[in-house]
Structures are given as structure tokens and as C-alpha cells.
Amino acid sequence: MPELPENETIKRGLQKYVAGHKVQRVDVRLPKIVKEGDVKKLVGGKMVRARRFGKSIVMDFDNGWSVASHIKLTGQWVYDGPNKPKRAKVSEEYVDGLPNKYSHVIFYLDCGGKLYYNDVRQFGWLRVVKTDDVPNIKFIKELGPEPLDGLTLDKFREILKGRNTKVKVLLMDQKKIGGVGNIYANDALFLARIDPRRPAKSLSGREVEKLYKAIDEVLKRGLKYGGATELNYVNALGEEGAYQDHFLAYGKEGQPCPRNCGGTFKKITLGGRGTYFCEHCQK
DNA sequence: AGCACTTCCTGATAGC
DNA sequence: TGCTATCAGGAAGTGC
């Protein structure tokens, strides 16, 4: 699932390879993907900045317009053009013959390059708004503070305080905390040795601190590995991430706990999502 | 506030 | 070239 590290990795790639290029033409093959505004506003604009807000990515153009996006489960932003490094190992499994049948929006750039918005399940969206109006996009406006940027321990404490909601469900609530999704919530709770089913308010001061640090730790680890290619995440060059080879708890159902505590990873459903934890050492 | 349920969609998987 | 049913999942929406 593309979460904070995956979206940050994509954003960095867009900044590196697409910024500075001007849009010559946009081909919208599946109109419903563009939930707001008109991509024609971007034509003639030069991409000057890529930004990320939680799991959403925004590109700003020098004509005062921006395109905001949310790739949800299966969206991809993939660039192909003259300045793409030769060493890029484009995923054959997930980026096959661009444009492919999942390429719903294609940006043709003045450098001769192309920027593809691909999305198998079509859950993702694009919104074209004035750059000044980006902060008013509902998802961005209501987004909670982000780990690695703005979410202090005090704020985190405040968010958990008095809430009866299961701690994992709370971690994944984008209005409370921005950018944490299922994979990193599972891994952070494992690292902090906290049972995902516990009410948020039941955590001790020490546990809150441990969890806060664990979230930072797993997100940084995810970033280091260029994100996790689960479903069909790829970076802005179409390359796979590697964090999937370093999951701590996510997807480990039936496997023995690496702490050798004698426990085995269980899978349950919380808030409608697969939840993996070691019953023995996550208390 | 909190929770359950539905919707969007398609590829993967299980069962026959 | 097997067919069909089931399922996952981010976020929004609805209803209790």
C-alpha cells in the first residue's frame, strides 16, 4: 500500500526528473480520474515543485495552477523521457509497455518525455486547482500532522488521549495522523510491542513514547528502501521498492516471531483491514 | 464519539 | 484459454 514513504519516494522522483519541464499536451483517457478542474489549465505551464501531503502528491506549475493527486491503492506516477537515467530498473511486472491499459492520464512534456498516471483499480484521483487553493482541498485541509514533520510527541500524546478507538485504527486515521497506512501501522506496533487491539487511551506514557519512536523508525526504514512494492507500487521511474523484503509484521501470518519469543504472527481484521501481530510479545 | 456497513474497481486466488 | 465466486483495501459516505 502506498503510504508516506512510497509517496515521498514518488514525490522526490517527480521533483528530480519532471520539474523544469513544460506540459505541451495532456491526454485524459479515463475522465472520471480527474475529479476536479480541467487539465488544460496545465498546458503551457512548467512544473516547478512537487509536494507531498500525507499520502497525496501535488505538482505546482509556473502558471499558477497545480495538479493534486491521491494514488490510493494502485495508482502510479511514472516518468519516461530523455533525462531518465539509463540504469533505471523499470519493473516489468508492474510497468509493462507504457502507455498500457491502465494509463488513464498522460502528460506530454516539451523535453519529449511523458508522465503517466496509471491506476489498475481506478480508486485514485487528480484535481486541478489554483496553486493558492491547494490547502483547501478537503483531503489536505483535514489531514492530521505528519510523522517526520510536525507530529511532535506532545501532539501524538494529545491524539491518543481519552480515545477509546483501537490504537491501530487511530494510527491509520488520516484526519488524526497524516501518512500512516496499514503496512507501517502494523510494523510500528510490532516494534513498540503494543497489541493493535488496545484502546488508544490505555497506553502508558512510556508506551506512547515507544510507539511514537517506532512510527518514526519504520517510516524512515521504508524511505531508506524506496518504499514497499505491495500491489503495484513503483517510484517515478517505474522501479520497485525493497521494503517488502524487510517487513517486520505485515503479511507475516503463521510465521514465528523474529524475537524468538515463542509466539507466532496472527492475522485478524481491524477497521476492515488485515492486521498482523505477535500475540505473545505485543501486549 | 465510535462503530458497522457500503461504495468505488479489478486482479488474484480458491473451489469445483 | 476453465468457469465462477470471493476477496482486499484508502477514504468517503451513510446510518445507528
Side-chain angles (χ1 to χ4, degrees):
Chain A
M1 270 62 60
E3 307 177 27
L4 190 153
E6 288 75 20
N7 280 285
E8 177 65 21
T9 303
I10 294 169
K11 182 213 81 180
R12 290 177 185 177
L14 293 173
Q15 180 68 45
K16 187 163 182 180
Y17 299 106
V18 183
H21 298 308
K22 191 189 277 189
V23 176
Q24 281 187 335
R25 184 164 70 87
V26 186
D27 184 8
V28 179
R29 299 179 168 197
L30 186 63
K32 70 163 191 174
I33 293 291
V34 183
K35 293 273 193 281
E36 181 181 355
D38 186 350
V39 294
K40 285 194 181 69
K41 302 289 188 190
L42 306 173
V43 173
K46 182 171 79 178
M47 206 277 262
V48 288
R49 179 173 56 160
R51 298 186 277 168
R52 181 187 58 76
F53 299 91
K55 303 179 198 172
S56 67
I57 290 171
V58 177
M59 282 178 274
D60 299 326
F61 294 79
D62 68 354
N63 62 356
W65 289 88
S66 295
V67 59
S69 66
H70 194 310
I71 66 174
K72 296 283 182 84
L73 303 174
T74 56
Q76 301 172 328
W77 275 115
V78 180
Y79 171 77
D80 188 13
N83 58 327
K84 178 169 134 181
K86 293 275 185 292
R87 65 178 185 280
K89 277 188 142 63
V90 177
S91 169
E92 288 180 22
E93 184 172 359
Y94 300 114
V95 184
D96 181 29
L98 293 176
N100 57 33
K101 62 177 174 173
Y102 310 117
S103 301
H104 304 314
V105 184
I106 306 171
F107 297 77
Y108 295 86
L109 308 171
D110 64 348
C111 61
K114 299 171 191 72
L115 178 62
Y116 303 95
Y117 178 75
N118 308 322
D119 198 337
V120 171
R121 294 191 190 170
Q122 308 170 18
F123 283 3
W125 49 254
L126 306 189
R127 291 170 194 275
V128 179
V129 301
K130 282 278 198 183
T131 302
D132 290 344
D133 290 330
V134 167
N136 298 323
I137 291 170
K138 192 168 178 286
F139 179 82
I140 293 173
K141 197 186 187 84
E142 297 178 353
L143 191 68
E146 293 192 33
L148 313 183
D149 178 33
L151 178 65
T152 60
L153 178 56
D154 279 347
K155 280 186 191 170
F156 187 59
R157 207 175 272 130
E158 203 58 33
I159 290 164
L160 300 188
K161 193 174 154 188
R163 294 193 184 274
N164 213 17
T165 309
K166 293 173 178 63
V167 60
K168 175 166 178 270
V169 174
L170 195 62
L171 290 185
M172 294 174 60
D173 183 342
Q174 302 304 299
K175 293 184 171 70
K176 303 293 189 301
I177 297 167
V180 179
N182 201 27
I183 290 171
Y184 296 95
N186 275 296
D187 278 10
L189 286 160
F190 173 74
L191 196 55
R193 304 187 188 224
I194 293 167
D195 188 321
R197 298 169 292 190
R198 284 183 48 197
K201 67 178 181 188
S202 76
L203 271 64
S204 69
R206 170 137 176 67
E207 286 174 324
V208 171
E209 204 166 321
K210 268 173 74 180
L211 182 55
Y212 178 79
K213 286 181 180 161
I215 292 168
D216 256 40
E217 175 66 28
V218 297
L219 292 176
K220 282 178 183 161
R221 231 184 268 190
L223 261 175
K224 185 177 94 178
Y225 289 110
T229 296
E230 183 72 357
L231 291 179
N232 61 350
Y233 161 78
V234 290
N235 69 19
L237 295 179
E239 301 168 304
E240 295 175 27
Y243 183 65
Q244 66 277 9
D245 300 328
H246 304 272
F247 286 156
L248 301 176
Y250 180 80
K252 301 289 187 188
E253 184 183 10
Q255 297 185 32
C257 177
R259 291 188 175 115
N260 294 317
C261 69
T264 302
F265 282 108
K266 297 283 179 292
K267 183 183 183 187
I268 59 170
T269 298
L270 285 188
R273 289 169 196 65
T275 300
Y276 306 85
F277 67 108
C278 173
E279 257 180 331
H280 192 256
C281 64
Q282 287 179 258
K283 304 284 184 194

